[in-house]
């Protein structure tokens, strides 16, 4: 029997394409892991060998993956948190999301002897803007409704550390409204900092982090196994979910397609939102941890990390830190508001991101690349340009989505639709409809350049990301056309290029 939830056109080639991707995505990930450590390091061609099951399966690797997920879940559930609301759902309600990540930095500040002076009246953070001092604030737990953007001080009964805290109310964009926990920075950012503290303490205590690269194959296998089992449980959970909770595209009635794309839009147990948790926590922070382990192993092998390895680690840490700092902005993305949570996102978040996105660092460990300072500065400039475009466009887009009347975007040129919505025209350049994708591609290029040009393998991420963003942009176009109608055609005439000016 076909579910009666909201329907959408089949994507990714329908059931046949979904079945192929169920096999192709894990196979590609393992292929990259194998060829990165091989001498030829050929992206195109067979892997150097096919690993035996004994090389892939390790109960210790499975335990390590589960421990990592448990740690990140514990950080997600820390009590010092705030609430932000997501977009309005089909039944006109909103869900709550935790973005309370500053919890980890208050203890960090005390440990490092950092301090700050509360303002008269007890306020610590002076405004809504994230500033260096706001990083040092613990944020007091409270549920907030509405979107006032106001600051609060904790009640007198709050313990001493929490007495120095401030909170900020943040509104999501209009799905049922999902409330999210938030503060000046994202909860995930503080989870990153607290994780770094714990890992640092572990290394000082003798944790062999540099041995992690030798475990990448069994860890990737364990993460894939977890993703498959998790996706099956999500699919079974969605069978009893109400029609209003189903995703637009994941309830086709075909079990393979729905398993891959995800039937339920926001699967939860109590307040724990599985999709939101996986989107920014274990995979992204795990990516940074793997990069760090690769850097440490290179230092052991060669005496010190190479400049190329430092650049790759630094660029990608900036990207992850930015995503976690601006955690609230994920509430307006397609992953959260449109895609169901199935194998596509579960595998992508838990396995593909940490083990594939760390490909450049893996390559550099086994294929060291000399890099001079002048070229390094040029690469840094390229990354800075990409980040500037990426961050500026995403911030402006998120601001406009939440409140088109915000003073920061109110004076920009817009096109009005028949329903009263407005489309931003003169944002970034007024000629590219998705400048944030352009910034992504420029940064992806900068991440690959430290690996030289003798191998195609380090450029896999750039090639993959290009295909991904072109596909996602096509999905964006279709959804905007359905949503805005003739106004979208007018918008496309005013903003002619999709991603790259004068090219695409």
């Amino acid at each position: 029997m076909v579910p009666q939830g909201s329907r959408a056109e089949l994507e990714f080639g329908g059931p046949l394409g979904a079945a192929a991707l169920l096999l192709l995505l894990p196979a590609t990930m393992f292929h990259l892991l194998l060829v990165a450590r091989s001498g030829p390091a050929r992206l195109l061609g067979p892997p150097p060998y096919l690993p035996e099951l004994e090389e892939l399966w390790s109960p210790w690797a499975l335990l390590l993956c589960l421990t990592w997920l448990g740690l990140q879940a514990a950080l997600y559930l820390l009590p010092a948190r705030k609430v932000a609301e997501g977009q309005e759902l089909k039944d006109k309600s909103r869900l709550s999301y935790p973005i309370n990540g500053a919890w980890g930095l208050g203890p960090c500040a005390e440990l490092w002897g950092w301090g700050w002076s509360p303002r008269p009246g007890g306020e610590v953070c002076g405004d809504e803007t994230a500033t260096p001092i706001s990083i040092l604030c613990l944020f007091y737990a409270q549920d907030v409704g509405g979107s006032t953007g106001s600051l609060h001080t904790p009640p007198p009964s709050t313990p001493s550390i929490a007495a120095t805290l401030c909170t900020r109310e943040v509104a999501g964009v209009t799905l049922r409204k999902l409330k999210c926990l938030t503060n000046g920075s994202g909860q995930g950012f503080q989870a990153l900092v607290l994780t770094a503290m714990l890992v640092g303490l572990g290394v000082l205590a003798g944790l062999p982090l540099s041995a992690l690269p030798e475990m990448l194959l069994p860890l990737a296998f364990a993460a894939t196994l977890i993703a498959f089992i998790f996706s099956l449980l999500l699919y079974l959970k969605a069978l009893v979910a109400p029609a209003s909770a189903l995703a637009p595209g994941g309830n086709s009635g075909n079990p393979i397609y729905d398993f891959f794309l995800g039937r339920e839009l926001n699967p939860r147990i109590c307040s724990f939102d599985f999709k939101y948790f996986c989107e920014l926590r274990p995979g992204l922070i795990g990516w940074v941890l793997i990069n760090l382990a690769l850097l440490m192993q290179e230092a052991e092998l060669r005496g010190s990390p190479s400049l190329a390895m430092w650049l790759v680690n630094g660029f990608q840490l900036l990207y992850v830190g930015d995503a976690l700092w601006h955690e609230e902005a994920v509430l307006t993305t397609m992953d959260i508001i449109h895609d169901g949570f199935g194998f596509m996102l579960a595998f992508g978040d838990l396995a593909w991101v940490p083990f594939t996105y760390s490909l450049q660092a893996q390559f550099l460990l086994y294929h060291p690349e000399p890099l001079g300072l002048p070229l390094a500065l040029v690469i840094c400039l390229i990354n800075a340009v990409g980040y500037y475009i990426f961050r500026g466009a995403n911030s402006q887009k998120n601001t406009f989505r939440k409140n088109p009347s915000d003073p920061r975007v109110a004076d920009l040129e817009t096109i009005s639709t028949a329903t009263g919505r407005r489309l931003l025209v003169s944002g970034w350049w007024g000629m590219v409809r998705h400048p944030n994708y352009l910034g992504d591609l420029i940064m992806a290029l900068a991440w690959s350049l430290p690996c030289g040009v003798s191998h195609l393998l380090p450029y896999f991420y750039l090639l993959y990301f290009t295909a991904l963003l072109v596909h996602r942009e096509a999905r964006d176009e279709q959804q905007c056309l359905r949503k805005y109608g003739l106004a979208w055609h007018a918008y496309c005439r005013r903003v002619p290029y999709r991603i790259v000016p004068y090219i695409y």
Side-chain angles (χ1 to χ4, degrees), residues 225-276:
L225 181 63
I226 291 172
F228 269 103
I229 296 174
F230 185 34
S231 302
L232 178 60
L233 295 176
L234 290 170
Y235 178 82
L236 295 176
K237 179 181 181 299
L239 293 178
V240 297
S244 61
L246 299 181
N251 55 104
S252 67
N254 182 282
I256 295 178
Y257 182 83
D258 294 346
F259 171 84
F260 176 78
L261 208 62
R263 295 189 77 248
E264 194 172 355
L265 184 60
N266 302 289
R268 288 184 161 211
I269 293 181
C270 298
S271 64
F272 194 98
D273 190 292
F274 293 110
K275 180 167 67 172
Y276 178 68

Side-chain angles (χ1 to χ4, degrees), residues 37-313:
R37 65 180 65 193
S38 70
R42 296 191 184 96
L43 174 62
L44 304 177
Y49 70 98
L50 294 179
E52 300 289 339
L53 181 60
E54 292 77 11
E55 187 177 356
L56 294 174
W57 167 248
S58 167
W60 288 108
L62 179 61
L63 179 61
L64 188 58
C65 283
L66 293 175
T67 302
W68 177 254
L69 290 173
L71 170 63
Q72 296 306 319
L75 297 179
Y76 177 92
L77 293 172
L78 284 175
R81 55 186 186 174
K82 274 210 45 155
V83 175
E85 294 184 342
Q87 293 198 355
E88 190 174 276
L89 297 168
K90 289 181 287 187
D91 62 2
K92 304 303 181 183
S93 62
R94 294 179 184 254
L95 294 179
S96 304
Y97 290 100
I99 312 177
N100 60 322
W103 194 96
L105 280 181
C108 181
E110 289 203 344
L111 285 173
W112 292 346
W114 295 349
W116 60 91
S117 299
R119 295 188 175 186
E123 289 185 348
V124 177
C125 300
D127 53 44
E128 298 177 50
T129 307
T131 61
I133 193 65
S134 70
I135 303 176
L136 300 179
C137 299
L138 277 174
F139 291 83
Y140 181 73
Q142 57 182 303
D143 291 338
V144 296
S147 168
T148 64
S150 59
L151 293 169
H152 302 276
T153 54
S157 60
T158 306
S160 58
I161 291 180
T164 63
L165 314 185
C166 66
T167 58
R168 180 170 66 93
E169 295 184 4
V170 179
V173 187
T174 305
L175 303 146
R176 214 171 41 196
K177 253 191 179 182
L178 307 175
K179 274 191 178 180
C180 307
L181 303 173
T182 185
N183 47 41
S185 60
Q187 178 191 15
F189 182 83
Q190 279 70 35
L192 172 64
V193 174
L194 192 53
T195 300
M197 291 174 57
L198 294 174
V199 170
L201 292 173
V203 171
L204 291 176
L207 179 71
L209 185 61
S210 59
L212 189 64
E214 300 301 326
M215 297 182 62
L216 288 185
L217 275 177
L219 285 172
F221 185 80
T224 302
L225 181 63
I226 291 172
F228 269 103
I229 296 174
F230 185 34
S231 302
L232 178 60
L233 295 176
L234 290 170
Y235 178 82
L236 295 176
K237 179 181 181 299
L239 293 178
V240 297
S244 61
L246 299 181
N251 55 104
S252 67
N254 182 282
I256 295 178
Y257 182 83
D258 294 346
F259 171 84
F260 176 78
L261 208 62
R263 295 189 77 248
E264 194 172 355
L265 184 60
N266 302 289
R268 288 184 161 211
I269 293 181
C270 298
S271 64
F272 194 98
D273 190 292
F274 293 110
K275 180 167 67 172
Y276 178 68
F277 166 72
C278 291
E279 187 79 9
L280 290 176
R281 307 303 181 95
L284 281 181
I285 300 177
W287 171 18
V288 170
L289 184 65
I290 290 174
N291 275 355
L292 176 62
L294 291 161
L295 181 147
M296 292 182 65
Q297 189 177 47
E298 185 182 50
E300 288 187 3
L301 291 175
R302 303 186 180 103
S304 64
S306 64
L307 178 57
M309 181 69 83
W310 278 117
L311 288 186
V312 167
N313 268 258

